[in-house]
Amino acid sequence: MENEDQPRLRSVVSYVKRGGRMTVGQQRAWDELWPAVGRTVGELPDGKLDFAAWFGREAPVLIEIGSGMGETTSQLAAAAPELNYVAVEVYDPGLGQLMLRAEKLGVENLRLLHGDAVVLLTEHVEPGTLHGVRLFFPDPWPKKKHHKRRIVSPSFAALVASRLAPGGTFHMATDWENYAEQMLEVCSAEPALKNRYDGWAPRPEWRPVTKFEQRADVEGRVSHDLIFEKR
């Protein structure tokens, strides 16, 4: 039950902090790789995060929210070396696995943030600076009473839009029909965003098929992509 002691941003926080036992490899990644490529959102200093200094170069910044176990994220970062690619995730083993996958692929343009993407965007990202934001298969919270926990809400769409540079993109994907419809409705109503397509976007060939899409296909659900851009 919600109460007055919950954080002020609770209305747009979309995740439950998930623990989980890490493999030996994932723990090694945390011990050896995290200090160079990762930071914790809650431990960032006040003010805007200097991405250029962190990456050691000036390049367009793209933030992916919810990188899961990292299979898709590692491939996407590897395929776009021109981007400063930032993955935000709350699941410790998932970040560990992403580091392992990125290491195997020799990815150098990827940085990881552990924690709440809403806090990151609100407190640590300069308005009007992001090349893009990706949100692939977020927690659908399928029960109607839980829909308020879904991350895509009017306030979240406004927040993302405010952080995008002109022409920057907000790319979403989900295999839950009513969530896709909610995403379409919410983002279409945000004055700072415009849909690149008339409704759903064609599924990009460059986006790897995720385990969620594979499961959805087996269960008879259709995945939808949506791509909005900053006016």
Side-chain angles (χ1 to χ4, degrees), residues 57-77:
R57 66 172 188 172
E58 292 279 356
V61 176
L62 186 144
I63 292 179
E64 181 181 335
I65 299 171
S67 51
M69 295 303 288
E71 184 171 9
T72 296
T73 305
S74 58
Q75 294 179 56
L76 290 174

Side-chain angles (χ1 to χ4, degrees), residues 154 157-158 161 186-195 228-231:
V186 166
C187 292
S188 296
E190 169 50 50
L193 296 174
K194 63 178 179 179
N195 196 341
F228 282 76
E229 67 179 53
K230 177 73 170 288
R231 293 184 186 276

Side-chain angles (χ1 to χ4, degrees), residues 68-131:
M69 295 303 288
E71 184 171 9
T72 296
T73 305
S74 58
Q75 294 179 56
L76 290 174
E82 74 280 5
L83 297 178
N84 284 347
Y85 206 107
V86 181
V88 189
E89 176 58 59
V90 298
Y91 185 51
D92 297 8
L95 287 167
Q97 194 64 36
L98 172 54
M99 285 185 278
L100 293 177
R101 296 182 192 278
E103 181 185 44
K104 185 175 182 180
L105 292 173
V107 176
E108 297 183 353
N109 63 318
L110 178 67
R111 300 292 183 270
L112 282 59
L113 282 160
H114 181 268
D116 185 355
V118 171
V119 174
L120 172 69
L121 291 172
T122 303
E123 300 181 8
H124 303 293
V125 175
E126 196 76 37
T129 59
L130 296 180
H131 173 76

Side-chain angles (χ1 to χ4, degrees), residues 160-201:
V160 170
S162 73
R163 268 45 184 175
L164 290 173
T169 57
F170 182 24
H171 185 174
M172 297 156 281
T174 182
D175 56 300
W176 288 86
E177 184 76 24
N178 65 353
Y179 199 2
E181 292 170 352
Q182 177 183 330
M183 291 174 172
L184 179 59
E185 179 182 358
V186 166
C187 292
S188 296
E190 169 50 50
L193 296 174
K194 63 178 179 179
N195 196 341
R196 277 195 172 175
Y197 299 89
D198 183 14
W200 314 124

